[in-house]
């Protein structure tokens, strides 16, 4: 069931989104050669808790950390560790959520460590832009398929593939709500977008095949062919005035 939020609830979600967005920004600034993903996770947790919020992901379904930190061919759900040391040339996808006064904000971005290849930069740029192409379609009266198709068309036109096994989702008092928001689909199909709906649009774009594999830890998800992946996400509110991004820093 899709839950329609009131203006007051959307304002609360914007507060949660601000915290999640600032935590993501701090995490991205920490992506430097020699830092561990464990250290970045601590930065995320300390900031979120300093704002009186809780990390949305910590212990969610058993996930053991405050942020998902996924390096190079890891698509999503990378578990931070002291052994995972980031190197020059790596790309690092960080997914952060914050729970504040009853609501979640959820966002993600992929960051470059030092100097990265032109191919890696092109993948990051395409994934980020595909998110904004999807956001453009998050308008009253459109359907989920319009968002999905916009993401898919932008990525595939540049010879990338979109992950199909994992999708975006509704967000609110629960981290994951209806509706599902795929990154592939047919225009004019799916749930109709109404004011008060709040969704996370999150393209996961691979340099090679769209197929992924989940490792033995039952979390870490990697590209099936070992090629790079990037991930961007914003939490969006559907309004009568167009899409409102809720995960922005002040």
């Amino acid at each position: 069931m899709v839950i329609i939020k009131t203006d007051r609830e959307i304002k609360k979600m914007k507060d949660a989104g601000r915290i999640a967005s600032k935590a993501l920004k701090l995490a991205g600034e920490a992506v430097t050669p020699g830092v561990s993903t464990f250290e970045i996770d601590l930065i995320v947790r300390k900031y979120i808790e300093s704002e009186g919020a809780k990390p949305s992901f910590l212990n969610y379904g058993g996930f053991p950390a405050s942020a998902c930190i996924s390096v190079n061919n890891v698509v999503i759900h990378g578990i931070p560790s002291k052994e995972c040391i980031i190197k020059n040339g790596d790309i690092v996808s960080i997914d952060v959520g914050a729970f504040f006064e009853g609501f979640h904000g959820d966002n993600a971005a992929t960051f470059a460590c030092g100097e990265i290849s032109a191919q890696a930069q092109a993948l990051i740029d395409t994934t980020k832009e595909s998110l904004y192409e999807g956001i453009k379609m998050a308008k009253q009266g459109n359907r989920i398929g319009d968002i999905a198709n916009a993401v898919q068309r932008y990525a595939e036109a540049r010879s990338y593939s979109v992950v199909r096994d994992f999708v975006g989702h509704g967000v609110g008092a629960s981290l994951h709500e209806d509706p599902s928001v795929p990154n592939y689909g047919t225009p004019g199909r799916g749930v109709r977008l109404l004011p008060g709906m709040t969704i996370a649009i999150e393209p996961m774009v691979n340099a090679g095949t769209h197929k992924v594999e989940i490792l033995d830890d039952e979390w870490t998800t990697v590209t099936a062919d070992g090629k790079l992946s990037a991930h961007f996400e914003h939490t969006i509110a559907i309004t009568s005035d167009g899409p409102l991004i809720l995960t922005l820093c002040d």
Side-chain angles (χ1 to χ4, degrees), residues 26 72 119 123 130 160 192:
L26 292 172
N72 293 331
Q119 292 84 359
L123 173 65
S130 73
Y160 298 110
R192 188 175 296 279

Side-chain angles (χ1 to χ4, degrees), residues 71-84:
V71 182
N72 293 331
N73 69 314
V74 181
V75 181
I76 51 172
H77 301 161
I79 299 174
S81 73
K82 294 179 180 178
E83 292 72 35
C84 184

Side-chain angles (χ1 to χ4, degrees), residues 1-7 10 137-144 146-147 178-179 190-199 236-244:
M1 180 181 70
V2 176
I3 301 172
I4 300 298
K5 312 311 190 291
T6 65
D7 289 345
I10 289 174
M137 302 306 293
K139 299 184 294 186
Q140 176 182 354
N142 279 358
R143 294 183 180 270
I144 289 293
D146 297 311
I147 297 172
D178 290 333
V191 173
R192 188 175 296 279
L193 303 177
L194 301 173
M197 290 176 62
T198 49
I199 58 175
I236 308 295
I238 310 300
T239 80
S240 57
D241 296 323
L244 175 65

Side-chain angles (χ1 to χ4, degrees), residues 5-24:
K5 312 311 190 291
T6 65
D7 289 345
R8 177 177 173 275
E9 289 171 332
I10 289 174
K11 184 179 183 301
K12 284 183 172 292
M13 287 189 64
K14 192 172 184 179
D15 291 336
R18 174 189 56 78
I19 295 168
S21 178
K22 182 62 182 294
L24 179 62

Side-chain angles (χ1 to χ4, degrees), residues 8-246:
R8 177 177 173 275
E9 289 171 332
I10 289 174
K11 184 179 183 301
K12 284 183 172 292
M13 287 189 64
K14 192 172 184 179
D15 291 336
R18 174 189 56 78
I19 295 168
S21 178
K22 182 62 182 294
L24 179 62
K25 182 176 184 290
L26 292 172
E29 291 170 350
V31 173
T32 52
V35 72
S36 71
T37 55
F38 177 82
E39 292 172 279
I40 295 174
D41 186 69
L42 282 181
I43 290 169
V44 169
R45 182 172 182 174
K46 286 180 179 179
Y47 174 73
I48 291 174
E49 291 180 344
S50 76
E51 290 288 317
K54 295 180 180 180
S56 297
F57 302 161
L58 185 60
N59 300 318
Y60 182 79
F63 189 76
S66 298
C68 299
I69 307 179
S70 306
V71 182
N72 293 331
N73 69 314
V74 181
V75 181
I76 51 172
H77 301 161
I79 299 174
S81 73
K82 294 179 180 178
E83 292 72 35
C84 184
I85 307 298
I86 298 169
K87 306 182 300 297
N88 184 66
D90 286 343
I91 64 171
V92 184
S93 298
I94 304 176
D95 193 353
V96 174
F99 183 67
F100 182 68
E101 295 187 351
F103 291 92
H104 293 272
D106 189 6
N107 61 175
T110 300
F111 301 94
C113 181
E115 293 191 14
I116 62 174
S117 68
Q119 292 84 359
Q121 187 63 59
L123 173 65
I124 290 173
D125 293 344
T126 294
T127 307
K128 183 176 183 178
E129 189 56 37
S130 73
L131 167 61
Y132 285 98
E133 289 296 306
I135 290 172
K136 288 178 187 176
M137 302 306 293
K139 299 184 294 186
Q140 176 182 354
N142 279 358
R143 294 183 180 270
I144 289 293
D146 297 311
I147 297 172
N149 185 259
V151 172
Q152 181 181 14
R153 282 190 298 106
Y154 190 88
E156 291 183 353
R158 289 153 182 79
S159 300
Y160 298 110
S161 61
V162 293
V163 172
R164 294 168 179 252
D165 290 358
F166 296 89
V167 300
H169 51 90
V171 189
S174 297
L175 181 59
H176 292 94
E177 298 181 350
D178 290 333
S180 293
V181 186
N183 297 303
Y184 62 95
T186 304
R189 303 291 295 274
V191 173
R192 188 175 296 279
L193 303 177
L194 301 173
M197 290 176 62
T198 49
I199 58 175
I201 304 172
E202 54 175 320
M204 293 150 270
V205 178
N206 295 347
T209 178
H210 70 82
K211 295 180 180 179
V212 300
E213 298 175 352
I214 301 175
L215 301 186
D216 290 343
D217 61 22
E218 298 183 348
W219 283 105
T220 307
T221 302
V222 301
T223 56
D225 56 9
K227 294 185 178 181
L228 295 177
S229 183
H231 180 201
F232 280 83
E233 175 184 23
H234 271 308
T235 298
I236 308 295
I238 310 300
T239 80
S240 57
D241 296 323
L244 175 65
I245 300 176
L246 300 178

